[in-house]
Amino acid sequence: MSVLLLLAKIQPAWIYRLTNALARGAGVRETFEAQLNRFFDMLAHAMDTGDPAWLDPIILDWSNSPTTSDLRAGEKNITAVLNQIFLMTYDLIRENLTEQEALDLTGALIPIFTHALEKAARIEMETSIAFISSELFEVQQKLEKLDRSKSNFIAVAAHELKTPLTLIEGYAAMMHDILRSAPNGMADSLMEGINNGIRRLRAIVDDMIDVSLIDNNMLSLAFQPVWLGQLLNLLANEFKDDIASRNQRLTVRKFPGSEQMIFADPERLYQAFRNILSNAVKYTPDGGQITIDGRTLPGFIEVTIADTGIGISLEDQEIIFEKFGGLGNVSLHSSGKTKFKGGGPGLGLPIARGIFEAHGGTVWVESEGHDEVRCPGSTFHVLLPLRTEAPDPKLAKLFGSQARQIAESTPSSPKDEQA
Ligand code: ADP
């Protein structure tokens, strides 16, 4: 009897047993049965022609379907399935055929199965090598970014500390020369130059001190009654001139919770919101819109600061909260050449996060991505505990993780929830 007829003899039991052994659930079973029938047809062709390559397309299809988690776990799904198919085929042959028939059929099947297994193993190996390489590439890029944020420290220290120092030195030298001969009025403008330099220097030194206080868990808060609506309006007022000079619009909405008294450190909260709002102004082109809004959540108040600026790519949305994680070009910071593409020292957001977390809250950003032409915008979300009395400061950190959990399980847009 020809090997093809022998093969056909075991086909019904073969399909039935393999489907039951390998597929679970009615839907999966149907698809799997169709796949097995296709496999069986190809197997018959391979045996008929003596060319095992007939099985290649189906093995290629099967091997190209691993999920990312299969790949991460290093699962060898297809070789495992093929192994099982071959072992069960062998059992069926022994059960259904005479010894001689079994010998003939197995002899014909072994080279075809061996070819199929080798092919599947090679594809799986290539797929997992490609996957591992892409994972390694991603890790390498992340490490390079972190490395860059460390070397940003040097760039920031060089630029942000040396520039105002140079200004102060220059103005002081000019003042020294001029005071000897010039009328007294000249001294005022020179003093203004010196004061500007001192202000910039003080700001960056203060930020560096704040960052080290936060890093060492030493930020202490003076809890007092605070009304967020008032605080945010005060802040908006401070930015009035900046906003007007950029032709931007700032809207501060009244929201549930904005008029409620909570216990917080008003100065630190103001500083944290200020850092976020100043970024919104800085990274939004002229004519853009900034909106402050919010809502109450169980135990928390959420404030959102949304802009129509250049946006932040997904992979950078965590990095920007790392110190010196600024993404812009520091040297463009104060340049008149660009209105909104510059970077800063990269301390504003880590300080803001440190302050919110010390309150037992948290902050995160949502943005479709970074695009300086399309300007998809960014929305910063701040969660603050709805605290009606001053807490023990040591407990505040404990609440931080609770706030993060709530943040993760809460719909991202306040509008979704209110609708
Ligand atoms: P910087 O001093 O660089 O502004 P921050 O810590 O305040 O430092 O912000 C870190 C980085 O996050 C910025 O360099 C910028 O690239 C990005 N960023 C912050 N806020 C925004 C925003 N509203 N829109 C776009 N990018 C932003």
Side-chain angles (χ1 to χ4, degrees), residues 19-88:
T19 309
N20 279 320
L22 294 172
R24 299 203 200 315
V28 180
R29 218 166 268 165
E30 226 167 82
T31 324
F32 193 74
E33 199 175 320
Q35 288 287 328
L36 273 183
N37 273 316
R38 189 177 154 217
F39 183 88
F40 198 90
D41 287 349
M42 294 302 130
L43 185 62
H45 279 303
M47 292 180 71
D48 197 21
T49 56
D51 180 4
W54 275 97
L55 281 174
D56 289 359
I58 194 160
I59 287 180
L60 199 67
D61 282 357
W62 288 3
S63 307
N64 278 335
S65 56
T67 62
T68 310
S69 57
D70 289 342
L71 288 166
R72 228 165 242 146
E75 300 273 354
K76 300 263 182 292
N77 285 332
I78 303 311
T79 38
V81 167
L82 282 177
N83 255 326
Q84 207 159 343
I85 291 180
F86 299 159
L87 290 176
M88 288 178 84

Side-chain angles (χ1 to χ4, degrees), residues 143-405:
L143 286 177
E144 275 172 9
K145 232 171 202 172
L146 279 179
D147 217 38
R148 233 175 293 142
S149 77
K150 278 188 202 146
S151 62
N152 277 355
F153 170 76
I154 301 165
V156 167
H159 183 264
E160 300 288 335
L161 296 174
K162 272 164 71 182
T163 312
L165 262 184
T166 314
L167 282 177
I168 294 169
E169 271 168 9
Y171 281 114
M174 279 158 72
M175 193 152 174
H176 186 251
D177 287 347
I178 286 171
L179 270 185
R180 278 182 300 192
S181 53
N184 270 353
M186 274 299 279
D188 286 347
S189 71
L190 296 174
M191 270 316 287
E192 202 184 310
I194 292 177
N195 284 335
N196 277 342
I198 292 173
R199 252 198 308 276
R200 262 181 81 178
L201 207 48
R202 168 158 295 284
I204 181 80
V205 170
D206 281 349
D207 276 359
M208 284 185 168
I209 291 170
D210 283 350
V211 149
S212 34
L213 284 177
I214 288 165
D215 272 358
N216 294 297
N217 268 335
M218 284 168 62
L219 189 75
S220 57
L221 300 175
F223 280 89
Q224 292 169 36
V226 174
W227 289 263
L228 279 179
Q230 260 180 22
L231 187 137
L232 294 168
N233 279 319
L234 217 63
L235 185 64
N237 199 43
E238 182 193 328
F239 277 85
K240 222 170 50 200
D241 293 344
D242 275 358
I243 301 259
S245 74
R246 302 284 307 281
N247 210 12
Q248 294 169 333
R249 265 178 318 141
L250 171 61
T251 311
V252 185
R253 297 223 168 96
K254 234 189 214 179
F255 56 87
S258 62
E259 290 178 336
Q260 189 158 347
M261 187 271 280
I262 57 166
F263 268 85
D265 182 327
E267 274 183 36
R268 286 298 189 182
L269 271 197
Y270 190 90
Q271 177 188 4
F273 279 118
R274 190 180 191 286
N275 288 354
I276 295 178
L277 185 58
S278 71
N279 280 339
V281 175
K282 186 154 71 174
Y283 299 107
T284 299
D286 291 7
Q289 166 76 42
I290 298 163
T291 309
I292 303 182
D293 202 350
R295 61 172 173 169
T296 48
L297 294 168
F300 288 87
I301 297 185
E302 181 180 27
V303 180
T304 51
I305 298 118
D307 63 50
T308 56
I310 58 177
I312 302 163
S313 70
L314 283 183
E315 76 220 43
D316 289 330
Q317 289 177 14
E318 258 312 301
I319 290 183
I320 56 170
F321 290 100
E322 301 290 328
K323 52 184 182 295
F324 305 108
L327 312 167
N329 181 347
V330 182
S331 63
L332 293 179
H333 172 44
S334 51
S335 162
K337 277 180 293 187
T338 164
K339 290 195 177 68
F340 62 92
K341 291 183 187 171
L347 292 175
L349 290 179
I351 291 174
R353 177 174 270 185
I355 292 174
F356 293 133
E357 286 188 351
H359 276 85
T362 191
V363 54
W364 72 99
V365 68
E366 267 186 318
S367 173
E368 264 176 46
H370 175 97
D371 188 332
E372 295 186 4
V373 179
R374 205 166 50 82
C375 283
S378 313
T379 301
F380 282 79
H381 297 254
V382 175
L383 271 196
L384 283 170
L386 228 170
R387 223 179 247 133
T388 47
E389 54 192 52
D392 177 345
K394 288 192 205 94
L395 285 181
K397 282 269 159 192
L398 276 180
F399 294 128
S401 55
Q402 194 192 342
R404 223 164 297 136
Q405 276 169 11

